[in-house]
Each structure stands twice: as C-alpha cells, then as structure tokens.
Amino acid sequence: MEQGKYSVGLDIGTTKIVAIIGKENEYGKIEVLGIGKSKSLGVHRGVVNNITQTIKSIQQAVEEAEVNSGLKIGSVVVGIAGQHIRSLHHSDYITRVDSEEVINEDDLDKLCNQVYKLVMLPGEEIIHVLPQEYKVDGQAEIKQPIGMYGGRLEANFHVVVGQVSSIKNVGRCIKSAGLDLGNITLEPLASSDAVLSQEEKEAGVALIDIGGGTTDLAIFKDGIIRHTAVIPFGGGVITEDIKEGCSIIEKQAELLKIKFGSAWPGENKDNEIVSIPGLRGREPKEITLKNLSKIIHARVVEIIEQVYVEIKNYGHEEQKKKLIAGIVLTGGGSQLKHLKQLVEYITGMDTRIGYPNEHLAGDSDAEVASPLYATAVGLLMNAISNETKIKDDEMEPELLESEPVLAGHEEERTANLVAKRERKSVFDKWSEKLKDFLDNAE
C-alpha cells in the first residue's frame, strides 16, 4: 500500500503506549489496519519523566503496529495531556479600521494572535486558543462573525496552557524514535471525537476520560468546547491503594482490580474471598472482596468528586449551562465494575460508557472498540481528517478554476480561490505553532 493512503495515531499514556494505523473506507468509517501497544515506562501522570525509556516504549509499539499491518510508519499524530495542562477563560477585542468593511478571517486571526501574546507564568506556554462566542459592536452571542459589519470585534476565549518543557519532551521523544510529528492534539479532544456524538456536544455533555495517570475532563455545550481540566489521579492510584491496603505486589493489585474490583462496596458479601499466592514459598494471602471494593470505592469517590467540582465550576447548575446529555465515561478506568452507577449516584447526572465503535468499520477487531483505545482512535481520526484536508486543499484550486464564471464575477472567483487556499482552522494554526516551537527546541 502506498504512503498517504493510511494514517497513524500515537497515544503516549501513563500505563501504555498505543500506535494505531488505519484508513477511511468508502462509507466514511475507520478501518484499523494494525495496532501495537507497549508498557509505558518513562511517563508519570501524563508527563514524560524518562526520555530514553519513553523512546524505547514508542519504538516497541510502532514496531508491533508495523508487523501487524505490514506497513511502514512515518508521520504520527500524537496526543498531549498530563497534570501540567490547565485552562482559563479570557475576553479580548480588536478595533477595526473600517467598520464598513466585512469582518473576514484576518480579523479573527488578529484577535486570536492577540490572545497568544498574554503573559503566562514562567515556563508556561499557551497551547490552545479556542473562541467561544463573538460580539460585534456589543451585539452578543454570535457564533460566526465572518460577513458581518462592525468596528469592534470581541470574543470570549477558552485558553489551554501547558509547560513548555513537557510539550518539548514529547516532541523530542517522537523525533528520537525516528518518526515525523504530523500533528499534536489535546487528548481529551481526541477522546471526545471518538466517543461523543454531535447531538451530545450540542445538548451539553461532560466527557470524563479516566486514564492510568490522569483523569481528563472536557465539557461541551452548543457544539463548542467550554471547559477542560486534568485531575492528577487515575487508575494507577487505585492500584497503588490496593497494593498498600492489601500488602501485595503491584502486578497482583492490578489483576485484582481488573478481575474482582468494584466501585460499589455493598455489592460483595463478607464471605467472598480471593486467595493471592505468597512470594517465594510464603503463605498465600486471603483478601475479602468487600475490603477490596471499600479500598477502590474510597479512591474513586475522591476522583469523581474532584471532577464534579470542575463541572460545577463550569456552572452546570445554571439553566443556561445545563449539561442535558450528562456524563460520558471513557478510558481504561471506565471499565471498573459499577462505576457508572457510582458516578450517577454522586453527580445525579445521566451517565453512559463511551465506546469508539461508532466510527469504526463493522469488521473491526472487538478489542479496538474498547474504551481503553478511545484516545488512540480519536488521534487516528484526527490524522485521517488532516490527510483529507491536505488533499482537499490541493484539489480545491482545480475545482474552482473549472467552475463557470459569470461575466463581471472574475474578481469574486479570484477572492474565493485565495480565501480557500488560505483558510485554516484555529486548531491547525495551534498545531503549527506547537510544531514550530518543538522544532526550535532542537
């Protein structure tokens, strides 16, 4: 298969690194051609803390995906998350020279670029500027101001901030693993592409992605991302608690959590016991499932309550900001038994588990449709949409040039041609900006 016919998503997580190769079929669904995963050794709470080990883990996952698919991986779309990510809200405005001229893409760019110049804390960098609503001459709640007239263009922005060093380390790992960095995307955004429907984003929904090291939150309302947060706890902390509480090794704690763990302590009877083999001929340990679920319950409640504080900070209780579609849980941690019921009990919001299977072709491996791979599938979708965008940009001039032109409309056609060539989403500009400062880090 020729290069360019397939795309690659790379999810660098705290517990695992996943490389996923795929392409879009004729029905617009994603066909997974190969998947490779390895244990993530150099990442702690979403942040690279050992570059050498992370490079090895990336190479291992990439090689496995190449063997499974029979394809060579060149460029990847990678996700970024971690406890260093935070978000804030900011309002800004520009005054236009001529209010009798229509507002165009350049005006929006000028306004966005102004936000990028905000002074952050030392060592921090603005990595994402997402416009919410615009105001034109005081007229509020405008979603798309292009084509309107006005002297003062104002907007509310959702600004995502991260540590420069953490972002550059991800870029260095990709390059040192012999790969090209195609794009960088925020992991909660990738997961949301994979598991949320457009209707849910319109109605208002909170996506909770419970990973190994962190729990990511993304809130959508009216089709726009409104709030993002990273809670520095995930499934790994639950495993750690089981290890300490039951005095067993980590591997056994993880197996116990997956096989017998429950987020609801009332579920198990007192006489349900699991026997754990002792180390090097020692006596086996007997652990009651009731005790196990109490340990899990205590930590899960803490994580959910922290996430719920963030949801309330967004203003979920106000009628205007009500999240009608409730909560969608995804990520490896969402597979914990009775977690959905516990989240509903704590928050009082409708909850479902998010699977990325809606976007996958019918004959896809059942394993890939697991919430565990939601971020990886979202990154692959991002890689495919980037490929499509590049192809569309290359084709558009020809399509436009072949259009019939009415007399006197030549200038209009030329303007359309230029606009189509130059039009880039805020997201693309953000990715380019990130890639630029990653290149400069070398």
Side-chain angles (χ1 to χ4, degrees):
M1 194 181 291
E2 47 192 291
Q3 178 72 37
K5 289 279 185 190
Y6 56 90
S7 303
V8 186
L10 183 69
D11 174 18
I12 303 173
T14 306
T15 48
K16 67 181 188 323
I17 289 178
V18 179
I20 185 165
I21 307 176
K23 62 171 186 172
E24 199 171 38
N25 66 13
E26 65 268 38
Y27 308 109
K29 297 286 183 189
I30 288 164
E31 214 173 286
V32 175
L33 305 170
I35 189 163
K37 63 176 190 287
S38 65
K39 193 167 168 52
S40 181
L41 297 170
V43 182
H44 180 67
R45 291 194 175 160
V47 179
V48 174
N49 64 358
N50 186 321
I51 286 183
T52 314
Q53 283 186 320
T54 305
I55 293 164
K56 270 188 194 163
S57 298
I58 290 171
Q59 285 169 334
Q60 210 177 317
V62 164
E63 278 164 24
E64 193 184 310
E66 286 178 338
V67 168
N68 287 344
S69 62
L71 300 166
K72 185 90 184 94
I73 292 178
S75 172
V76 297
V77 165
V78 69
I80 190 153
Q83 58 185 19
H84 63 97
I85 301 281
R86 67 182 182 94
S87 65
L88 55 106
H89 288 273
H90 176 71
S91 296
D92 220 322
Y93 73 93
I94 56 164
T95 307
R96 300 179 68 240
V97 181
D98 188 356
S99 59
E100 290 305 309
E101 259 190 35
V102 287
I103 293 168
N104 59 23
E105 195 85 28
D106 291 341
D107 294 312
L108 304 194
D109 288 351
K110 193 176 168 190
L111 185 51
C112 274
N113 290 337
Q114 200 162 289
V115 181
Y116 273 112
K117 289 172 190 158
L118 278 177
V119 178
M120 289 292 117
L121 294 169
E124 281 192 335
E125 172 87 16
I126 292 177
I127 53 174
H128 223 336
V129 170
L130 291 163
Q132 309 272 279
E133 278 108 4
Y134 292 92
K135 272 187 193 175
V136 178
D137 288 347
Q139 184 187 336
E141 292 185 9
I142 295 166
K143 280 192 182 175
Q144 184 49 276
I146 290 176
M148 295 183 75
Y149 295 85
R152 181 184 163 107
L153 176 64
E154 213 173 323
N156 294 323
F157 291 96
H158 178 70
V159 182
V160 181
V161 180
Q163 273 177 4
V164 179
S165 57
S166 301
I167 300 159
K168 285 182 177 173
N169 281 345
V170 171
R172 287 184 183 117
C173 289
I174 300 295
K175 286 188 175 176
S176 303
L179 302 166
D180 289 330
L181 189 59
N183 203 347
I184 294 181
T185 179
L186 256 185
E187 289 196 353
L189 292 183
S191 306
S192 67
D193 285 342
V195 303
L196 298 181
S197 68
Q198 193 52 41
E199 287 83 358
E200 283 177 317
K201 288 181 182 178
E202 287 289 340
V205 67
L207 176 81
I208 302 173
D209 185 345
I210 307 169
T214 58
T215 297
D216 301 333
L217 169 72
I219 295 176
F220 291 84
K221 178 80 177 165
D222 301 327
I224 299 167
I225 186 155
R226 301 291 182 177
H227 187 64
T228 49
V230 177
I231 313 296
F233 300 115
V237 192
I238 300 169
T239 305
E240 195 66 31
D241 286 355
I242 298 168
K243 180 182 130 183
E244 298 295 327
C246 302
S247 303
I248 54 176
I249 61 170
E250 195 171 329
K251 197 177 172 184
Q252 292 170 336
E254 184 66 25
L255 275 170
L256 259 187
K257 180 180 79 175
I258 293 166
K259 282 196 132 185
F260 303 104
S262 165
W264 203 268
E267 196 58 35
N268 304 108
K269 297 177 184 70
D270 291 322
N271 59 356
E272 288 178 304
I273 290 170
V274 179
S275 184
I276 304 282
L279 296 174
R280 295 295 290 249
R282 291 178 181 85
E283 287 293 303
K285 274 196 172 66
E286 289 193 339
I287 292 158
T288 67
L289 291 190
K290 190 149 200 157
N291 190 32
L292 176 68
S293 61
K294 273 181 181 169
I295 293 169
I296 294 171
H297 176 80
R299 182 60 82 175
V300 172
V301 166
E302 186 190 351
I303 294 170
I304 295 163
E305 281 178 346
Q306 283 198 42
V307 174
Y308 193 40
V309 165
E310 290 289 344
I311 293 172
K312 285 195 281 196
N313 284 348
Y314 162 70
H316 161 65
E317 272 136 14
E318 297 169 35
Q319 200 53 45
K320 193 180 161 199
K321 291 183 170 181
K322 213 100 195 103
L323 303 176
I324 298 161
I327 289 172
V328 175
L329 297 168
T330 194
S334 68
Q335 294 173 298
L336 186 64
K337 275 193 219 82
H338 307 112
L339 181 65
K340 171 186 173 301
Q341 290 86 333
L342 182 64
V343 172
E344 283 184 339
Y345 177 74
I346 292 172
T347 63
M349 295 165 76
D350 279 346
T351 305
R352 74 171 178 90
I353 305 292
Y355 297 89
N357 53 359
E358 189 190 320
H359 302 283
L360 298 172
D363 56 353
S364 294
D365 191 338
E367 187 195 15
V368 187
S370 156
L372 203 67
Y373 294 108
T375 305
V377 170
L379 293 168
L380 176 58
M381 287 168 66
N382 187 286
I384 289 170
S385 71
N386 277 358
E387 285 281 319
T388 313
K389 226 177 279 174
I390 291 162
K391 281 178 196 152
D392 287 351
D393 287 347
E394 285 164 2
M395 285 167 66
E396 264 166 4
E398 291 154 35
L399 287 172
L400 270 166
E401 275 147 23
S402 63
E403 284 172 7
V405 184
L406 298 170
H409 287 260
E410 291 86 353
E411 279 183 33
E412 192 181 317
R413 188 200 64 169
T414 310
N416 281 345
L417 186 62
V418 171
K420 282 210 173 190
R421 276 179 180 155
E422 289 179 352
R423 194 170 298 138
K424 288 173 183 168
S425 72
V426 173
F427 193 81
D428 292 335
K429 288 182 196 120
W430 167 66
S431 299
E432 278 173 22
K433 185 176 160 58
L434 257 181
K435 273 159 51 184
D436 285 347
F437 85 73
L438 283 174
D439 291 339
N440 295 336
E442 295 308 307

